[in-house]
Amino acid sequence: MTGVQTCALPISHETSDITIESYFTGKIISPIQRGKGKIVFDKAHENDFLPEEINPLISKLSEMGLAIDYLEDDSLENKLRYADAFVVISPVKAFTIDENNMVTAFLEKKGRLILISDPSREDTINSLSTNLGIVFKNDYLYHMEEHAGNFRYVFLDQFSSSPITKDIDRAIFFVSSSINADTKIGYANEGTQSSKDGKGEYASIVMAGDNVLAIGDLTFMTEPYNRALDNEKLISNIADFLMESKRVHTLIDFPFMLESPLDISYSNLTLLDEAISARSIFTNIGIETEISDLDRRKNMLYLGYFDDFEEGDRGLEGIYITNDSFEATGLGTFDKRDTVLIHLSSKSFRTALTILSEEKNPIQNVVDILKNGEINNYILSSNIAIYRYEPTEEEKIDNGKPEEKETNGVNGEVIEEETVTEVIPEKEKEANGKE
């Protein structure tokens, strides 16, 4: 991991000297897609930018219906459980090994990541990017003949086919670094030089796989420089990239994989208290909830008894329920007695978390486990958790499941059932045909 990135020449990120009005196209590109999702911007690593600087991107994301949040004093792990995409801009504080692992796990679930550096700002972007096969070089690009009014304002006019570069003919980057990666999609124009390596072919937009985008300039997406040439279209494509995240949410992401509006349903009135208790989990993090009847078309938390699930009406992919047990594909068969099944189902139109048991008390315990953030202790797969409930002696008696024990009438000592032998008179044996 590298330290703070610096440039060969001191470059301020004050842009008052940039006079590029002649390159303004006047085109305003409004988003034509709408979606849903949560985009988290990193502010926990002393990031050298202000949120208002990137208003052109933030505005597009908001118009598209996406929720914007910032990682500040929160746990990165918890925030990534919530996020569909993560944006890191000029982090001054380096990412740790543990944080790299968290980001890698996020990407394995198809979350999307954008890394933005800028030679005019200090950063340690490589403390995260190198783990992903991307290296921001410690340089800046310039062109002595063909530029946008300053030799450091380079044109990007060579592009590989990508959704990021769709309909882009020419963009302007203002003090850009070059980036090394396996997939380079946006290059500076011919004759561009690096402050480190002289003339060459230099990329300022690269990707790692389908879910990681890296960009070597920030100024192009700030006002008014977003209006130069095709910069506005490039920003729009970047917004689409974030919106189109196919993030896979699993049980470990609880409760953030459940979104507003969320229905909380129960199969029996005896579970109303548990439904009300579970509701607080979501209201505490801003998820709108309503206790209502079961509707499989909606985002849902469902509390119920196994017996209330009719044959053929499972709604639980990979679960097969019989009279005394249930089978979870790939995990085995489980006795229904004193066992709680927690099942997550994610479809394009809704996410549902179903909690099933034979009795009320085990469900009550599981709601407490969810409220305490302890569900990870019971997860067996990405969408299934199993909780084993240990009933009290009183509950065993109430449920008709006590161990049969007898006591000696003289001293009250317990005699285990298997040591008690029934004495049958000989005549009764003969009458019953027992030899």
Side-chain angles (χ1 to χ4, degrees):
M1 295 184 184
T2 64
V4 173
Q5 176 175 309
T6 57
C7 297
L9 294 176
I11 301 174
S12 168
H13 64 257
E14 293 292 331
T15 52
S16 57
D17 62 327
I18 302 177
T19 55
I20 56 162
E21 286 80 1
S22 61
Y23 295 98
F24 287 178
T25 64
K27 291 189 294 186
I28 298 176
I29 300 175
S30 298
I32 59 173
Q33 299 188 71
R34 285 190 64 82
K36 63 177 184 178
K38 306 174 187 71
I39 314 301
V40 173
F41 286 80
D42 182 28
K43 287 295 290 180
H45 293 84
E46 301 172 14
N47 305 70
D48 190 9
F49 81 102
L50 298 174
E52 52 267 31
E53 288 186 90
I54 54 171
N55 272 340
L57 176 61
I58 296 293
S59 297
K60 290 186 187 299
L61 295 174
S62 297
E63 288 179 52
M64 297 163 82
L66 302 175
I68 308 298
D69 199 0
Y70 294 91
L71 171 68
E72 294 180 294
D73 298 327
D74 317 276
S75 157
L76 174 62
E77 184 175 28
N78 285 342
K79 216 64 168 180
L80 291 182
R81 287 162 59 194
Y82 167 96
D84 293 284
F86 186 41
V87 181
V88 180
I89 301 173
S90 296
V92 175
K93 179 181 176 183
F95 279 74
T96 66
I97 293 174
D98 285 345
E99 288 176 323
N100 269 269
N101 292 337
M102 293 171 195
V103 173
T104 298
F106 171 74
L107 294 172
E108 288 172 352
K109 295 179 182 178
K110 301 185 185 300
R112 292 203 160 174
L113 173 67
I114 293 183
L115 304 172
I116 301 176
S117 182
D118 190 307
S120 67
R121 305 169 190 240
E122 291 187 350
D123 73 34
T124 60
I125 195 79
N126 283 328
S127 67
L128 177 59
S129 68
T130 52
N131 189 51
L132 306 170
I134 296 172
V135 177
F136 288 80
K137 295 191 69 175
N138 184 18
D139 67 355
Y140 66 87
L141 301 180
Y142 66 95
H143 200 299
M144 297 307 297
E145 291 85 29
E146 192 176 358
H147 52 71
N150 182 300
F151 71 102
R152 294 172 302 188
Y153 309 160
V154 298
F155 294 108
L156 272 66
D157 59 7
Q158 302 176 69
F159 302 99
S160 300
S161 178
S162 165
I164 301 296
T165 58
K166 182 180 178 181
D167 298 329
I168 306 294
D169 293 322
R170 209 178 198 200
I172 302 176
F173 272 16
F174 305 91
V175 193
S176 174
S177 64
S178 61
I179 314 173
N180 283 338
D182 289 340
T183 305
K184 301 176 180 179
I185 61 173
Y187 296 84
N189 59 329
E190 186 176 354
T192 295
Q193 301 186 55
S194 161
S195 60
K196 290 284 187 179
D197 301 317
K199 286 187 178 181
E201 186 179 64
Y202 297 107
S204 289
I205 309 174
V206 306
M207 296 192 72
D210 295 326
N211 293 331
V212 182
L213 172 66
I215 302 170
D217 177 46
L218 178 62
T219 305
F220 84 96
M221 66 167 60
T222 65
E223 295 174 328
Y225 312 106
N226 58 304
R227 307 207 309 265
L229 298 183
D230 290 329
N231 285 6
E232 181 79 4
K233 177 58 180 172
L234 178 56
I235 296 167
S236 183
N237 290 350
I238 292 168
D240 288 342
F241 170 81
L242 292 171
M243 185 200 68
E244 292 166 359
S245 170
K246 305 298 182 184
R247 170 79 155 91
V248 176
H249 289 278
T250 64
L251 270 176
I252 202 169
D253 299 317
F254 181 86
F256 300 111
M257 73 284 197
L258 295 167
E259 299 179 338
S260 298
L262 175 69
D263 282 2
I264 300 179
S265 306
Y266 51 90
S267 68
N268 191 290
L269 192 59
T270 59
L271 294 172
L272 175 58
D273 287 345
E274 284 67 36
I276 294 172
S277 179
R279 187 177 190 179
S280 66
I281 300 171
F282 306 100
T283 55
N284 288 342
I285 58 171
I287 294 178
E288 299 174 9
T289 62
E290 181 178 355
I291 295 179
S292 64
D293 294 333
L294 175 63
D295 186 342
R296 295 193 187 282
R297 299 168 299 175
K298 297 181 178 180
N299 294 326
M300 172 183 69
L301 171 66
Y302 178 78
L303 309 177
Y305 299 126
F306 282 116
D307 290 345
D308 296 329
F309 259 55
E310 298 176 1
E311 192 67 33
D313 184 27
R314 298 287 182 252
L316 301 177
E317 184 177 350
I319 300 294
Y320 305 93
I321 302 173
T322 64
N323 288 336
D324 300 317
S325 63
F326 63 89
E327 178 186 350
T329 302
L331 297 175
T333 301
F334 301 85
D335 192 333
K336 290 197 302 189
R337 185 176 61 182
D338 302 327
T339 300
V340 182
L341 168 66
I342 301 117
H343 180 276
L344 176 67
S345 172
S346 294
K347 299 185 182 299
S348 59
F349 59 92
R350 71 104 171 94
T351 301
L353 184 65
T354 301
I355 300 173
L356 295 179
S357 177
E358 280 196 326
E359 304 290 339
K360 171 186 172 74
N361 287 347
I363 291 178
Q364 186 178 50
N365 279 21
V366 166
V367 170
D368 289 339
I369 286 168
L370 294 175
K371 292 174 73 172
N372 294 331
E374 298 171 350
I375 185 62
N376 292 2
N377 297 331
Y378 306 93
I379 293 175
L380 299 186
S381 70
S382 62
N383 71 322
I384 292 175
I386 299 293
Y387 170 70
R388 303 281 194 178
Y389 177 71
E390 181 60 38
T392 65
E393 289 297 323
E394 182 178 350
E395 289 170 340
K396 289 179 182 179
I397 294 171
D398 289 342
N399 294 333
K401 296 181 284 188
E403 290 187 27
E404 296 294 334
K405 296 182 180 180
E406 293 186 10
T407 59
N408 185 305
V410 178
N411 55 23
E413 291 181 356
V414 174
I415 303 176
E416 299 296 335
E417 183 180 5
E418 59 270 22
T419 65
V420 177
T421 303
E422 184 179 7
V423 179
I424 303 175
E426 289 298 323
K427 290 184 180 180
E428 189 174 329
K429 282 185 181 181
E430 292 173 6
N432 293 334
K434 297 180 181 178
E435 294 300 320

